[in-house]
Amino acid sequence: MRVGLTTAILVMLPALAQGWEAPARGSPDRRAMMDAMRPIAEWNLGAPVEFVVRDLRVAGNAGFASVQPQRPGGGEIDISTTPLVLRDGQDPAWLDGTWMQALLTKQGKTWVVVHSAIGATDVWYADARFCPQWGAVIPEVC
């Protein structure tokens, strides 16, 4: 019994030390975060989109997401044919594909995207001004 408890504590320590948790697939927070990002992705990349989650973090009312938008069923999005390029004039050569990152905040039960980027070629959220509110979910840059 004691060995099992010790093992459980050792397994949980890294998660506790990081200060954030990853919402489980199908959880209300995960679904709400994806729903908050979807209009931004569809406005910039065209509808419909679904996300492949690379990183999703929550600490209190702060959230961070790094996702790969794709077409339903796994279809790749051709960045050169998206509204981001055709409507807004973004040069696809200056974009890192369709990767999307977002800083979110939870208001009641609703997640809201406060800052986001699609195709960023740098770690735009590695800015000290984001640390007071989102430092717990992006500790590696704060």
Side-chain angles (χ1 to χ4, degrees), residues 18-24 29-30 33-34 37 53-67 102-105 111 125 134-142:
Q18 69 193 8
W20 54 266
E21 63 181 38
D29 273 338
R30 185 179 179 111
M33 292 171 85
M34 298 301 110
M37 291 186 296
V53 176
R54 176 169 60 175
D55 202 359
L56 193 62
R57 304 173 181 184
V58 171
N61 291 332
F64 169 78
S66 179
V67 298
L103 295 173
L104 303 98
T105 189
W111 282 97
Y125 50 88
W134 290 283
V137 291
I138 51 172
E140 61 272 38
V141 297
C142 286

Side-chain angles (χ1 to χ4, degrees), residues 90-96 119-121:
Q90 288 288 328
D91 183 346
W94 290 96
L95 298 170
D96 187 13
T121 58

Side-chain angles (χ1 to χ4, degrees), residues 38-99:
R38 189 167 290 104
I40 296 167
E42 289 181 342
W43 172 254
N44 288 292
L45 302 173
V49 298
E50 64 183 22
F51 300 112
V52 175
V53 176
R54 176 169 60 175
D55 202 359
L56 193 62
R57 304 173 181 184
V58 171
N61 291 332
F64 169 78
S66 179
V67 298
Q68 176 68 63
Q70 64 182 20
R71 298 292 176 225
E76 186 176 333
I77 297 172
D78 179 358
I79 193 76
S80 68
T81 65
T82 64
L84 187 63
V85 172
L86 300 175
R87 180 194 63 224
D88 298 340
Q90 288 288 328
D91 183 346
W94 290 96
L95 298 170
D96 187 13
T98 60
W99 281 104

